[in-house]
Structure formats: structure tokens, C-alpha cells
Amino acid sequence: MVSKESCRSELRTAIHQLNDRCLHSASRWAAEQLVGIEQDPAKFTPSHTRFQRGSSSIRRRFGPSDLPSTPVGGALYVATPVHEEDDSADSDFYLLAKAYFDCKEYRRAAHVLRDQTGKNAFFLRCYALYLAGEKRKEEESIELEGPLGKCDAVNRELTSLENELSKQLKNETIDPFGLYLYGIVLKERGREDLARTVLVESVNSYPWNWSAWSELQSLCSTIDILNGLGLKNHWMKDFFLGSAYQELRMHNESLSKYEYLQGIFRFSNHIQAQIAKAQYSLREFEEVEVIFEELLRNDPYRVEDMDMYSNVLYAKEVFPALSYLAHRVFMTDKYRPESCCIIGNYYSLKGQHEKSVMYFRRALKLNKNYLSAWTLMGHEYVEMKNTPAAVDAYRRAVDINSCDYRAWYGLGQAYEMMCMPYYALYYFRKSVYLQPNDSRLWIAMAQCYETEQLHMLEDAIKCYKRAANCNDREAIALPRLAKLHSELGRLEEAAYYYKKDLERMEAEEREGPNILEALMFLATYCRSQKKFEEAEVYCTRLLDYKGPEKEKAKSLLRGMRTSQSGLTSTETEHFPP
Amino acid sequence: MMRQEAMVEKLRGAVRDCMSKHLYSSAIFFADKVAAFTSDPADIYMQAQALFLGRHYRRAFHLLNASHIVLRDLRFRYLAAKCLEELKEWDQCLLMLGEAKVDEHGNVLDSKDCNAIYMDKDGEDCEINILSAICFLRGKAYEALENRSQAHQWYKAAVKADPLCYEALECLIDNHMLTYEEEKNLLSSLRFAPEDGWLSSFYSCFIKKYDKENVVEAKFRELEMGHRELNTSRSSMTCTLKNNTDLLACKAEYYHQSGEYQKCFDLTSELLERDPFHLKCTLVHLAAAMELGHSNELYLMACNLVKDYPQKALSWFAIGCYYYCIKKYDQSRRFFSKATSLDGTFLHAWIGHGNAFAAQEEGDQAMSSFRTAARLFPGCHLPTLYIGMEYMRTHSFKLAEQFFMQAKTICPSDPLVYNELGVVAYHMKEYKRAVWWFEKTLTFVPSSLSEMWEPTLVNLAHALRKLSCWFPGSIKRLYHIMRKLLLCQPEV
């Protein structure tokens, strides 16, 4: 394991370098991790470290003057020294350009740097141009299209940037930051293979740029690609793998990575949030709730990832906490996509679906590629019985990420509502392929097979069996299985499933109409099998309930007694019914 | 014979242990056997104690009553009365405790119990005087019988008989039975044991805090410093109450009273994180959150409280506060009155109820709930003060003044009362008197002038302005006030 001290000094240097290049979100990420490193308990009291978590003013005294220029070499896996400061960073033009950049005047910044030759200046100019293009693209897409319509606006700077950057690459004068930018450009041009190699090269030579890692992660759609990347070892790689595993739905692997990282970054909010995400995917809602409660206590104005917390609260229907969260993010920053999503959830739980849709729409206006907002909006439209709009929303979601099983499931549901079971089946199959351990999906599919139009009961049985095998919390699969079998005349199987269902209900102490059905069936079945004792047990249990079943059970009992009376007439006389 | 003795002794030990482990049925079983073996009064007492703890009140009472010693031994009588208390037979309970008289200062007049025997102690190192417990129980019985004056006299008697009887003091203070003066007098009349000096200072923090800022702060500091004289003898043990939640809750209460809501809120938030179910602290937290307009905080608190304590008036009071905070007064009134119906002695809900009416300018209803509060809590000047304010709004200045004066006698050190008196005088065109009242207000303001007291300064300035027609000398004072006002709000 790397030492905490070396991580700390590496990050400190990296933050300054990232800041110099205006890579703001990467530097924010690095700073968060820096503060997340556990302090040496020998030097600081626990209360101090606890206090450390909330405040942002930590360690200001490390100005640039006492920066360690290289990290402690022995602890590093990669022998990359932290880069020395580029000389052009000091040039006056660069300072001006950076100021423009920080004020979001990208073209002006690029213009100032037009004749500068330093590596930093080159990078900043390209980056500014890229962002200028992005900004224009956003504006165009708003001008051209409504929120639901797709838009073919492109970043017009991409071609020239690609030419310039590839020239630099050929001359071998490109630095890791340039490579990162090149990677983004290539990714947007659709040349994913090349983008991957370029990004790998970037992170191998400068691993502290989290933005590069996340771009790379978005390009790893299968485990084979991930394994074939050829990354050098560095602790940043563990962060990357954690998030990549999560995207590839290898949640347990990802969890173990993060738990390992917590050894160093004990107080990192990022890691906590990621663990929560993994637990959320594993549907461990209790855990997620606990993690988020703590996260909010330490970082009360956090908006990031809080949409997931709101999903959990929504699923658990904890209305007070959801309302509190919604009001809180509303006061913190109303116009963040996450905030809008949380408020959307809040209105949805209140049953005000129109308002909820309005907020999801707002979230999407703020970030068109906000996956979960598309899916949730689809759910809202389903609630409002507006299937065409729902289908549209779900389609946008799967366009953004074809691995979102919720969207596929939603599509299936929508088509089922429109009585198009074949379409529905297709989409359910997609979602089941992505999330094979979710009983709800299997049940949905089975119900689809059961519909009048299809009536493919055998297939339905297969699906229910799968559902029953993967922890069917709502306990729908077993009774359906039993019922289907009994309808198909396979009484033995039906009895088997009814028995199993009964056992489960006893174990979970549930009551319901199912129990009557199961008991009734088992009683008649056992009698027909001449297992009178067992049948009697079921009948006596039925006597505890009201309704026609009770009468039926009585008559069954009477019937059995009379048929048995030949054998044990003396006993029945002593105990008249 | 010796062996039997040893066996009985062992059984007694078993009974005591069962009681401390809350195995009451076993305790009752063994205590019954011991009592049968020995028929010693002490063993019968133990059996009754076990029955009481096992919630067999009627049986315990019967047992005590059947033994002939009951009227002679105070402990027996007290336990029998405790049983009657649990059975809610208050008259019987008082009868059992015996006739006694108490004067208004809580001194027991003629106690026939003096010659009653008092058997061996319970074997505790420090024992609360049984007379104090008896007085407290009398107080509770009188309170249940709605005889408030008797109740509060007996509570006083309980604290006087033994200052360690905290419950009695808590009842007195939480239910605002005493005025500030009376509280102070009571405290000064208590006789603390020499090693209980800290308790004396703790109680002094616990009572109403209308003193000057430095006096109150000194009281807190004294407790926070810990007790040096104790430390010197046992230097390894540093005993300080610096981080004690009760003490800090008192401090928060003080902050709230002196208008430093943010400070109060921060303190209570921290305390509630440490001890989320500290009720007094919760109350102060709610009040501070309401003053600061943190409606979201109130909402969450209220939801959690109602979930955890649906039977407590405080929970419903919290909901009322939330609705009051978001200005839905109808709803807020509903919940305040729910709180009062759950616990009629919950002052804050009564006041909230009145204020919710007052916020919608429904003076008559507001006054009726203030009047109830004033009747129930003779030691609290706020209801009287609010009644006065309502009268003032309807321009009944004479009546208003009367009520303000009444509030002043209850609590002569709350600056708010003087401010209102000044306002009344101003309205009655008695500017000189108004100035006098306002100046008096400023002398009672506890801390440095904060924006909370800006209206008083403005009032004073207006009064001086009116006055300056006749008394040119007041112009100078007016300038002085104006300068102070500017300091108070630099951005104006």
C-alpha cells in the first residue's frame, strides 16, 4: 500500500498543476481526495480530524513556495516524477489568457495565446477553443430544437483541433494534458480506439488528472476492453477501476476496490458516494441511506450524487427526509440538474406528476445527457398514461447509455400498456440481459408471456422460475408458478410450489388471500392423494379463516371422516366435529 | 438455626439482585418466601418494594396496609402512598401521607411525623431525605387535584427539605410556578452540604436568567471551570461540567432569551447530534429554528419527533411551530391546541396558540389563550405581557398598562416589558414617562445593543423628538441616540 504522506504530496503538486491549466473539475476532485486522506492519529486528535472534514480551509499554509517538486520516489508504482513547472506559465500573456479563461471568455483566451509556443500555452489555447466550440454547440442546440427533439449541432472546432493535436503527437511534442484533450476530441469524432490509446498514454504519464480517467472509463464498454488497456500501476488506477467496474455492473469488485482505497482516503466523500452507488445497484437501500445521511452531515451543501439519495428515499417512501432534501438542495442551488431531479422525485412522491415532469424537463434542459432524468421522466409519463411521451423519453435514455436496464424495462412496460406484447418482450429481454438478477424484470417478462395475445405459459413458467431464484422480495413468483402449474394440470408441481409459498409466508409471517388459495389447493390435493392426515392439517388451518373456504374445509373434513370412519369409528365418536 | 439464618440472608441477597436485574417476578417470589420465614418488617418492606417494581400496586398497597407498622414507619407510609399515586387515588394518597401544613415559603409548619419512627436506611451512601420525597409526592397529588398553590408550596418544601430533590425543582421551574424573585429567594434559602457547592451553582444556572450578561456568564464560567477545591484533594480526577448537555442546554436557553438565535441554534444543533433525544434542548432548538426561519429544519425535526414520541406534547408543538414558521396559522393553531390537550401544562404551546391567533389579528381568541396561560403559569410574565400587547392594539391603553405593570411585578428584569410600557406611555402622549421607560429598557438590555433592540432606540428617539418641543435639553440625548442607531445598523 502507498503511504499516505506520498499521496498527499503528489496530490498537492497535482492540484497546482491542474489549476494552472484550468482543469477545474479535475483539480477539485484532487483537492477533495487530498482532504479525504486520513491524518496521522499520532499527530492529530480524533476530534481534529473530524473537524477537518467539514471545513474547506485546510492547509492553506502550503503555498507554492514549499511545494515538493517531486514525490517520494520509493512509494510510487510508476516512476513518473511530477512535472516541473513550464516556463511559459509565467509569461504575462499566459496569465492574461488564464484570467480570460476563468471568466469564461474562451475565444479571447485563445486569441491571446495565438503566438505562444510553450506547452502550457498550447494546451490552454486548444482547450479554450474546444470549450468555445462546446459552448456554441449548446447554444445552437437550444436555438434549433425543443427539449425532446434530437439535435445535430456539432462542435465546429473539432476538426481543426484534431489536425493540430495529431501534428503535435507526430512531432512528439505533446504533453499528457494535450493527450487528454486529443482523447476527448477523438472520442467526439467517433474514433474510439484511437481515443482510448491516447487517453491511456495520457494517464500513464500523468495519472492525477481524474477527468482523463473518467473519459477513458466512458470508453470502456466491456470487461475485455478494460483488461486490455495496458495501464501502469498507480493508486489512481484503483480509483479508475472502482468506477469502471461499477459501470460494468461488477459491483462487488468495485466495492472491494473502494474499501481498499478507504484505507488511505478514509474521509473521502467521493469514495463514500461511490460506495453508496454500488450499494444502490445491489439494492441495499438501508446502507445507502446511512451513508448519505453521514455524507450530508459532513458536507451539507453537496448536490452531487444526491439524486441517488432521493431515489432511495423515493423507493422507501420516506417522505419527510425527501422533502427535507428537496428543500435543502433548492436553497443550495436550484438550477443544478441534480437538484431538479430531486425536486422531480419529491413531486412524484406527492402525486403531482405534471410538476414532476416539469422539473425533470428542467433538469434535462440543464444537462441533455442526464441519463436518470430521462428514465425518471419516462416513469412519470407512464404514471400519467402518456405512453408515446414515455417511449420517447426512454429511447433518449437508451441512446445515451444502452446499458440502462431501467430504461429498457420502462420501454417494455410502455409497449405492454399499448398492448404490443411482442415489442414489450423484446425490451424486457434487453433489460433482463443487463440485469439478470432482478426478479422484478423476470416477473414483468413472465406476465407479458401470460397475456391473452401470447399465452405462452411454458415460457412464463421459465421466467417465474428465474424470478423465484433471485430473491423475489414481493413474493409474486411462487404463487403464480403454483397457479400456472395447476392450470396446466400438473398437480404435483403445483403442490410443490404451493407448499414452498406457504413455507415462505410462514417464515415471513405474512397473511393474505394467497394463503387461503394455497391451503385450499393443498387440502384437496392431499385428499385426492389419500394423504388424509396432511389434508386434515390443512383443513384445520383453513377453519381459522372466514368465508366460503371455511365451509368448504368443513365439508372436506366431514367427507374425510366418513370415508375413514370404517377404520377408526371409535375415535371419531369421542371427538364429534 | 445458624444455617437457616444464612439461608435467609442469601435469599435477601437474591431478591436485591433480582430487583437490580429487573427480574421482578423472581424478586417477588423470593421476597414473599423471606417474609414468610422471618415476618420481619424490613422483609415485608422488601416484598412490597418488589411488588411495586413489578407493577402490582394494589397488591403492594394491600400488603403494606395489612402490616400494622404502616402508620408508624415513614418509609412504609411513603411506599403505600406511591402505590396510591400509581393507582391515581389522589385523595387517598394525601390521607396516607398524613395531615400537614405548609406556608407559602415552603416551610412545613406542624409536622406530626417528627415522632414517627424511621427504620433503618436503605443502605445507600447518600440518601435523599424521606421527608423531602414525601413533600414532593404531596405536591404531585395536589397538582393532580388541580390545587396549584398547594402543589407549588409543597414542591418548595420538598426542595427545602433536601436540595438533592431535583425533581421538585424541575417541576417548579418547568411549569413556571415561581416568579424570578421567588426562584432566587428559594435558591438562596437552600442549605447545601459543603461538598454540593457545584449543585448550588448548577441550580442557579437552571432558574430564569434575567440577570445582567456578566452575572449569568460568571455563573456558567464557575461551573465550566470545575471545582478546584475538589481537585486538590484528588488531583487525578478533574471534574468539570463543561461539556454536560444539561448545562449547555441552559446556556442555549440563555442565548435564546438574549436574542442570539444563531449562536443558540449552533449550540443546540451540536448538542442534539450528541444526544438527539434531549427534550429541553429540542425545545430550545425548535424555538431558535423558528426565530431564524429555518422551516426545513423544523419540518424534519417535527416529522421525526412525531414518529418517535407521538404521545409527547412537544412533538405536536413542533408541527405547530413549523406551520407558524411558514405562516399557515390555521394549521399551526390546530397543532398547538393538540399539544395543549395532550399536556395542559405545556406553556409554550399555549403561547404559540395565542400568537397564532394574534398573527391573524384575532385579538379576543388570542387573549383567551393567553389568559389561560397566565392562570396556569403564574411565574411566567409572557402571557400577561402578550395580553397587554393585544389591548394596546385595540387602543385600550389603560388596560394595557395595567397588564404591563402586572408583568413587571412578575418579572422586573425583562427589558421587553419596559419597552412596552414606554410605548403605552407614548401613545397616551406622556412623552416624559415614555422616555423614562425606554431609558430603563436600555439599562436592562443584557448584552451589547444588538439589532433586536433597534426598535427601542427608535422609540426613544421619537419620544425625545416629541419632548424636544418643550424641553430643548433633550435634543442632546436625541443626537446621542441617533448616533447609537447608526452604529447599530452600519449599512443604513
Side-chain angles (χ1 to χ4, degrees):
Chain A
M1 188 175 257
V2 242
S3 87
K4 286 170 192 159
E5 209 37 64
S6 72
C7 284
R8 210 171 284 152
S9 59
E10 281 172 42
L11 278 171
R12 267 180 213 137
T13 323
I15 290 165
H16 283 281
Q17 289 166 339
L18 293 165
N19 257 337
D20 272 341
R21 287 168 182 80
C22 299
L23 290 162
H24 295 308
S25 56
S27 100
R28 180 184 67 183
W29 188 89
E32 274 176 2
Q33 307 320 311
L34 174 61
V35 177
I37 300 176
E38 191 184 15
Q39 292 288 6
D40 197 351
K43 273 188 259 170
F44 299 93
T45 58
S47 68
H48 179 94
T49 43
R50 195 183 156 275
F51 173 73
Q52 172 204 17
R53 312 180 58 183
S55 74
S56 55
S57 61
I58 295 129
R59 315 228 133 210
R60 286 249 176 76
R61 60 200 163 89
F62 282 92
S65 52
D66 50 352
L67 259 185
S69 54
T70 48
V72 187
L76 260 180
Y77 292 12
V78 200
T80 14
V82 171
H83 293 259
E84 290 298 327
E85 293 304 306
D86 205 299
D87 50 350
S88 78
D90 301 324
S91 97
D92 303 340
F93 284 113
Y94 188 81
L95 289 177
L96 178 63
K98 188 167 178 311
Y100 281 146
F101 190 101
D102 287 340
C103 297
K104 298 196 162 55
E105 296 186 281
Y106 301 122
R107 287 211 186 272
R108 247 175 130 183
H111 182 73
V112 169
L113 290 172
R114 65 195 178 279
D115 296 326
Q116 300 292 314
T117 51
K119 275 184 186 170
N120 274 1
F122 173 73
F123 168 76
L124 193 64
R125 188 169 61 81
C126 293
Y127 192 37
L129 280 175
Y130 170 73
L131 285 185
E134 281 295 299
K135 202 173 162 194
R136 185 69 210 124
K137 184 178 106 181
E138 291 291 320
E139 288 160 3
E140 264 175 25
S141 68
I142 291 171
E143 284 154 17
L144 291 177
E145 290 287 341
L148 269 182
K150 289 185 189 180
C151 173
D152 44 6
V154 285
N155 187 338
R156 285 165 208 278
E157 304 292 334
L158 286 183
T159 349
S160 61
L161 278 176
E162 192 186 353
N163 286 339
E164 211 166 338
L165 285 161
S166 66
K167 216 181 288 162
Q168 285 265 327
L169 183 64
K170 254 176 236 148
N171 298 342
E172 294 186 355
T173 49
I174 199 163
D175 65 348
F177 300 103
L179 283 170
Y180 158 62
L181 190 58
Y182 192 31
I184 303 179
V185 171
L186 285 171
K187 184 189 155 198
E188 254 169 65
R189 303 278 290 164
R191 302 173 58 184
E192 298 203 345
D193 286 326
L194 190 55
R196 250 193 308 270
T197 35
V198 168
L199 282 171
V200 167
E201 206 172 315
S202 167
V203 295
N204 273 344
S205 47
Y206 190 87
W208 300 278
N209 182 1
W210 178 246
S211 306
W213 287 107
S214 23
E215 288 299 332
L216 183 57
Q217 185 256 301
S218 69
L219 288 171
C220 297
S221 44
T222 66
I223 183 73
D224 296 328
I225 296 179
L226 182 66
N227 288 336
L229 282 180
L231 293 167
K232 288 191 198 158
N233 272 336
H234 186 270
W235 51 265
M236 284 292 283
K237 186 181 160 189
D238 294 320
F239 275 105
F240 166 70
L241 285 179
S243 107
Y245 285 149
Q246 201 159 71
E247 229 22 66
L248 295 170
R249 295 179 305 284
M250 298 156 68
H251 301 298
N252 288 319
E253 287 86 346
S254 148
L255 268 183
S256 61
K257 268 275 174 255
Y258 282 123
E259 267 150 28
Y260 161 76
L261 279 169
Q262 265 191 330
I264 308 169
F265 302 94
R266 174 81 183 284
F267 299 123
S268 162
N269 289 340
H270 168 78
I271 294 182
Q272 281 210 347
Q274 295 306 309
I275 289 178
K277 211 183 244 178
Q279 299 280 19
Y280 176 68
S281 314
L282 295 168
R283 302 184 64 74
E284 300 286 347
F285 288 163
E286 306 287 333
E287 300 250 345
V288 185
E289 217 185 336
V290 171
I291 295 175
F292 272 115
E293 270 167 18
E294 175 155 355
L295 212 55
L296 260 186
R297 215 174 301 136
N298 296 326
D299 192 0
Y301 299 102
R302 186 187 177 95
V303 182
E304 245 174 297
D305 304 317
M306 283 300 153
D307 50 330
M308 195 200 327
Y309 182 35
S310 81
N311 288 344
V312 171
L313 295 175
Y314 182 91
K316 290 183 69 184
E317 297 186 25
V318 191
F319 190 73
L322 182 56
S323 158
Y324 180 76
L325 180 69
H327 281 90
R328 172 159 238 166
V329 293
F330 187 83
M331 297 312 282
T332 309
D333 190 349
K334 185 175 160 181
Y335 293 107
R336 282 271 290 264
E338 289 94 341
S339 310
C340 295
C341 197
I342 293 168
I343 299 167
N345 269 336
Y346 165 75
Y347 278 120
S348 173
L349 194 57
K350 268 180 112 173
Q352 303 183 358
H353 298 293
E354 281 86 2
K355 267 197 165 162
S356 160
V357 164
M358 189 186 95
Y359 274 98
F360 286 128
R361 260 177 199 286
R362 185 180 285 176
L364 290 167
K365 210 165 224 166
L366 293 165
N367 177 6
K368 249 192 324 183
N369 294 327
Y370 191 12
L371 180 66
S372 63
W374 281 115
T375 318
L376 291 172
M377 192 158 87
H379 291 342
E380 289 310 308
Y381 278 128
V382 169
E383 287 286 331
M384 292 160 70
K385 307 267 181 287
N386 185 352
T387 27
V391 167
D392 212 12
Y394 287 132
R395 278 199 194 288
R396 292 295 297 266
V398 294
D399 280 348
I400 293 164
N401 184 350
S402 55
C403 296
D404 185 21
Y405 75 92
R406 284 183 195 80
W408 289 116
Y409 172 69
L411 273 173
Q413 255 187 329
Y415 279 107
E416 208 180 358
M417 277 169 72
M418 293 192 282
C419 297
M420 297 162 82
Y422 284 103
Y423 280 73
L425 262 186
Y426 171 78
Y427 293 116
F428 281 141
R429 232 176 255 148
K430 280 246 181 201
S431 81
V432 154
Y433 169 75
L434 291 168
Q435 186 84 355
N437 289 321
D438 197 327
S439 58
R440 295 167 303 165
L441 307 180
W442 288 109
I443 289 170
M445 198 154 142
Q447 279 165 349
C448 200
Y449 276 122
E450 267 188 276
T451 48
E452 301 254 319
Q453 279 155 295
L454 293 182
H455 208 71
M456 296 158 78
L457 296 186
E458 292 300 324
D459 295 279
I461 284 179
K462 270 184 214 155
C463 290
Y464 277 131
K465 264 188 191 156
R466 284 295 297 259
N469 283 339
C470 39
N471 188 18
D472 171 24
R473 275 176 220 200
E474 285 92 24
I476 298 170
L478 283 175
R480 289 303 306 161
L481 268 174
K483 185 123 195 182
L484 280 176
H485 276 299
S486 77
E487 270 169 25
L488 292 172
R490 291 184 223 141
L491 296 183
E492 206 170 322
E493 275 103 334
Y496 169 76
Y497 285 112
Y498 270 128
K499 241 183 232 171
K500 242 178 137 175
D501 190 31
L502 208 58
E503 276 164 24
R504 235 193 107 161
M505 279 194 272
E506 277 160 20
E508 291 170 15
E509 295 184 349
R510 266 184 304 122
E511 293 277 329
N514 282 342
I515 206 161
L516 283 178
E517 197 188 305
L519 284 172
M520 202 62 233
F521 177 86
L522 284 170
T524 33
Y525 175 74
C526 288
R527 200 186 65 145
S528 65
Q529 296 287 308
K530 305 251 182 284
K531 294 184 202 158
F532 291 118
E533 278 168 34
E534 230 181 311
E536 225 177 300
V537 171
Y538 292 123
C539 283
T540 34
R541 278 186 66 181
L542 270 176
L543 291 180
D544 294 340
Y545 296 93
K546 293 193 182 76
E549 281 85 358
K550 185 175 174 180
E551 298 308 314
K552 225 170 170 186
K554 266 186 191 163
S555 70
L556 267 177
L557 269 176
R558 219 171 291 134
M560 278 191 288
R561 295 250 163 90
T562 44
S563 65
Q564 279 177 299
S565 60
L567 306 167
T568 57
S569 59
T570 46
E571 276 175 47
T572 43
E573 267 165 54
H574 288 293
F575 304 102
Chain B
M1 197 61 204
M2 280 300 281
R3 279 185 48 197
Q4 203 164 19
E5 205 44 25
M7 187 260 302
V8 167
E9 200 43 56
K10 193 184 147 202
L11 272 182
R12 283 189 189 123
V15 174
R16 275 193 292 274
D17 189 56
C18 285
M19 286 205 261
S20 73
K21 291 200 169 84
H22 306 282
L23 302 165
Y24 297 130
S25 293
S26 325
I28 292 168
F29 178 76
F30 289 119
D32 178 46
K33 302 302 163 281
V34 175
F37 282 135
T38 65
S39 51
D40 181 350
D43 290 326
I44 294 177
Y45 180 75
M46 188 163 72
Q47 188 189 354
Q49 189 86 330
L51 284 169
F52 180 82
L53 288 173
R55 310 176 69 82
H56 298 284
Y57 306 118
R58 186 69 72 187
R59 209 173 140 198
F61 177 67
H62 180 76
L63 180 72
L64 289 167
N65 227 1
S67 78
H68 300 293
I69 206 162
V70 66
L71 286 174
R72 280 188 291 141
D73 188 306
L74 275 185
R75 260 190 328 164
F76 274 62
R77 227 199 265 174
Y78 176 65
L79 187 55
K82 273 306 263 186
C83 292
L84 290 168
E85 181 207 1
E86 293 291 342
L87 295 167
K88 305 227 182 310
E89 297 181 5
W90 302 108
D91 290 314
Q92 290 291 317
C93 176
L94 281 173
L95 265 180
M96 178 53 71
L97 290 172
E99 283 293 312
K101 288 255 169 8
V102 67
D103 71 358
E104 58 186 311
H105 299 294
N107 299 315
V108 183
L109 292 178
D110 58 339
S111 155
K112 293 178 206 149
D113 303 326
C114 295
N115 48 5
I117 52 162
Y118 179 45
M119 303 228 324
D120 54 338
K121 292 184 164 194
D122 282 336
E124 296 295 322
D125 292 338
C126 170
E127 202 183 358
I128 305 261
N129 189 347
I130 185 106
L131 286 173
S132 161
I134 287 176
C135 291
F136 176 61
L137 188 52
R138 277 204 186 102
K140 265 173 117 177
Y142 276 119
E143 195 177 355
L145 292 170
E146 307 238 331
N147 188 344
R148 279 168 202 282
S149 62
Q150 279 287 314
H152 96 233
Q153 280 163 19
W154 279 112
Y155 285 143
K156 266 186 178 172
V159 190
K160 276 196 169 166
D162 192 339
L164 296 186
C165 189
Y166 167 78
E167 286 179 80
L169 188 74
E170 195 187 25
C171 279
L172 281 172
I173 288 172
D174 283 355
N175 293 340
H176 298 270
M177 289 182 168
L178 303 181
T179 64
Y180 176 51
E181 254 345 280
E182 287 171 322
E183 278 181 5
K184 273 212 297 202
N185 289 339
L186 177 64
L187 266 199
S188 59
S189 72
L190 295 184
R191 288 190 302 276
F192 288 95
E195 68 272 12
D196 288 337
W198 69 271
L199 189 65
S200 160
S201 21
F202 195 98
Y203 282 172
S204 70
C205 290
F206 197 64
I207 61 169
K208 291 198 177 72
K209 293 168 267 285
Y210 283 110
D211 276 317
K212 277 288 189 191
E213 186 185 21
N214 45 10
V215 181
V216 179
E217 302 256 298
K219 280 185 196 168
F220 282 116
R221 212 168 311 122
E222 193 182 327
L223 274 173
E224 280 165 12
M225 293 292 280
H227 293 274
R228 294 272 175 262
E229 62 271 40
L230 260 182
N231 296 354
T232 44
S233 53
R234 280 177 285 169
S235 55
S236 60
M237 208 178 82
T238 45
C239 66
T240 167
L241 291 169
K242 198 172 172 179
N243 291 321
N244 181 268
T245 315
D246 276 337
L247 181 68
L248 288 173
C250 285
K251 203 168 187 176
E253 214 175 17
Y254 172 65
Y255 285 147
H256 176 260
Q257 186 191 295
S258 43
E260 301 191 59
Y261 301 118
Q262 189 58 50
K263 226 162 146 187
C264 170
F265 184 78
D266 293 343
L267 180 60
T268 47
S269 323
E270 194 193 316
L271 287 179
L272 285 178
E273 198 160 305
R274 219 190 304 157
D275 181 0
F277 304 107
H278 195 282
L279 290 178
K280 181 173 181 183
C281 191
T282 313
L283 182 62
V284 183
H285 187 73
L286 288 172
M290 198 161 98
E291 293 291 345
L292 294 169
H294 291 336
S295 58
N296 207 17
E297 204 71 38
L298 280 172
Y299 176 75
L300 193 67
M301 283 281 284
C303 285
N304 290 338
L305 277 171
V306 170
K307 205 175 67 194
D308 292 338
Y309 299 108
Q311 288 309 317
K312 279 241 184 273
L314 179 69
S315 315
W316 302 98
F317 172 72
I319 302 185
C321 284
Y322 168 68
Y323 281 119
Y324 190 88
C325 192
I326 59 169
K327 300 201 171 56
K328 288 190 177 168
Y329 298 112
D330 292 338
Q331 302 267 41
S332 111
R333 270 203 304 272
R334 253 184 46 211
F335 288 102
F336 282 137
S337 71
K338 171 145 191 168
T340 55
S341 67
L342 275 174
D343 178 4
T345 62
F346 193 59
L347 166 72
H348 310 275
W350 283 110
I351 290 187
H353 195 242
N355 277 334
F357 272 122
Q360 290 180 316
E361 310 227 328
E362 297 187 33
D364 289 341
Q365 279 119 313
M367 264 197 280
S368 89
S369 48
F370 287 138
R371 255 194 300 265
T372 319
R375 187 168 50 80
L376 293 176
F377 310 98
C380 185
H381 68 290
L382 289 176
T384 334
L385 183 66
Y386 288 138
I387 294 174
M389 287 182 183
E390 286 306 311
Y391 275 125
M392 193 151 74
R393 210 176 42 209
T394 52
H395 296 272
S396 322
F397 298 123
K398 269 282 164 225
L399 272 171
E401 194 179 15
Q402 235 170 43
F403 276 98
F404 289 142
M405 289 309 268
Q406 208 176 316
K408 189 173 86 89
T409 48
I410 298 172
C411 177
S413 45
D414 186 1
L416 196 59
V417 179
Y418 295 98
N419 181 54
E420 297 306 312
L421 276 167
V423 174
V424 165
Y426 184 89
H427 277 302
M428 296 201 289
K429 300 203 170 37
E430 299 176 25
Y431 301 116
K432 206 163 178 190
R433 220 145 60 85
V435 168
W436 189 75
W437 285 123
F438 288 134
E439 295 279 9
K440 199 146 174 147
T441 312
L442 294 180
T443 60
F444 277 108
V445 168
S447 51
S448 53
L449 280 179
S450 59
E451 58 196 26
M452 190 179 161
W453 297 105
E454 191 198 310
T456 305
L457 282 177
V458 175
N459 290 345
L460 178 55
H462 274 295
L464 284 169
R465 180 176 58 82
K466 292 272 188 186
L467 211 53
S468 60
C469 308
W470 298 290
F471 300 100
S474 51
I475 293 271
K476 208 170 151 196
R477 177 72 184 144
L478 179 58
Y479 279 134
H480 183 67
I481 295 297
M482 299 290 266
R483 203 167 310 129
K484 253 193 182 168
L485 258 177
L486 288 178
L487 282 178
C488 210
Q489 278 224 315
E491 67 267 27
V492 172

